[in-house]
Amino acid sequence: MQQPLSYVGRITHRADGEARRVAILEATLRLIIREGVRGVRHRAVATEAQVPLASTTYYFKDIKDLISDALTYFAEKTLWMNNTLEGKSFQLLEVLKADSELMPLDNIAVHLTEFLCEHIQTQVSHKDDRILELAFHEEALRNPALAEAIQLLDNGFIRTIEQFFTALGSSSANADAHQLLGLIRWVEYQSLISGNLDSDFLKQTVGACIDKILRAIK
């Protein structure tokens, strides 16, 4: 389960105020996609959101608070995708465990590889979301508060993968989880900057990683 984050900017309980705050956060995400985090300035956000400049400074006095809340808003928007992935992965796990006595290792590897390749292809198809993830991770190198939020999110992903491999019987599930998440993000990044996701390369790369992990478990 993804770790929930907290908003740090001003919160309003009025419908019109909440709508304006959301418009500001949406505008911030669009600016980050187009220009990177360095493009996020109060005036630029106000222009993009079509709200008065005073509105952005009312909700977010510090630009770092605005960037942090944009991450939280983005995480909430994409939470359903992460929950869907988690649910599908543990459904697959139940199938694999039920057939573990009969299913050869190679067949388990094939199922996991196909599952992960499909996930990566879906991730790459949402290019703007991947750009936002990379931008927030890069900005976290300069923003300690954002780094803490990023670590909470990443640790949530790691725990989910770790639980999966623990259930499969891995004695090094944490290391397996870090290895697999690192590979997924590297393949996603390479695919985005090249503008191409070669299906054969994807299958071979992911398959080799899964095969290595499973053989260590067995």
Side-chain angles (χ1 to χ4, degrees):
M1 180 67 68
Q2 183 172 308
Q3 179 70 35
L5 302 179
S6 299
Y7 287 104
V8 295
R10 188 189 298 268
I11 301 295
T12 178
H13 297 291
R14 293 178 50 183
D16 58 342
E18 178 61 14
R20 179 160 290 186
R21 188 182 72 89
V22 169
I24 291 170
L25 294 174
E26 291 274 11
T28 301
L29 294 181
R30 293 195 297 272
L31 280 173
I32 294 174
I33 291 168
R34 292 203 310 266
E35 304 177 25
V37 174
R38 293 305 177 186
V40 178
R41 296 290 182 268
H42 280 114
R43 189 173 299 278
V45 172
T47 299
E48 179 70 23
Q50 298 183 336
V51 300
L53 177 60
S55 292
T56 63
T57 55
Y58 172 78
Y59 290 107
F60 308 99
K61 293 182 179 180
D62 191 317
I63 205 70
K64 290 185 177 181
D65 290 345
L66 174 53
I67 294 170
S68 178
D69 276 10
L71 169 64
T72 299
Y73 180 69
F74 170 68
E76 288 182 347
K77 283 183 63 178
T78 57
L79 180 61
W80 69 270
M81 295 181 65
N82 299 320
N83 287 343
T84 298
L85 174 66
E86 183 177 339
K88 287 183 177 179
S89 66
F90 283 97
Q91 287 175 8
L92 175 62
L93 178 62
E94 290 304 314
V95 172
L96 296 178
K97 289 174 65 177
D99 294 340
S100 61
E101 296 299 325
L102 302 174
M103 185 177 291
L105 176 65
D106 289 345
N107 286 353
I108 296 177
V110 167
H111 279 72
L112 284 177
T113 298
E114 290 178 350
F115 173 78
L116 290 169
C117 286
E118 181 181 345
H119 166 68
I120 293 172
Q121 288 168 338
T122 300
Q123 289 284 93
V124 172
S125 71
H126 293 85
K127 182 177 179 180
D128 286 352
D129 288 349
R130 304 291 74 75
I131 290 174
L132 288 169
E133 285 181 351
L134 290 166
F136 283 128
H137 275 81
E138 195 269 341
E139 180 63 18
L141 296 172
R142 293 180 289 269
N143 183 336
L146 190 63
E148 183 177 352
I150 288 290
Q151 285 181 310
L152 283 173
L153 290 173
D154 284 351
N155 287 341
F157 294 134
I158 289 294
R159 280 194 296 272
T160 296
I161 303 172
E162 183 178 359
Q163 289 168 4
F164 182 92
F165 284 123
T166 296
L168 274 181
S170 174
S171 60
S172 57
N174 184 263
D176 295 339
H178 279 86
Q179 179 182 352
L180 184 57
L181 183 59
L183 174 65
I184 290 172
R185 287 183 170 168
W186 180 83
V187 172
E188 290 174 356
Y189 176 76
Q190 292 296 321
S191 300
L192 288 173
I193 62 174
S194 68
N196 177 53
L197 180 58
D198 185 278
S199 57
D200 290 336
F201 169 78
L202 175 62
K203 185 175 181 180
Q204 291 171 4
T205 304
V206 174
C209 178
I210 292 299
D211 185 68
K212 179 181 178 181
I213 291 173
L214 290 181
R215 292 191 183 280
I217 292 174
K218 297 297 182 179

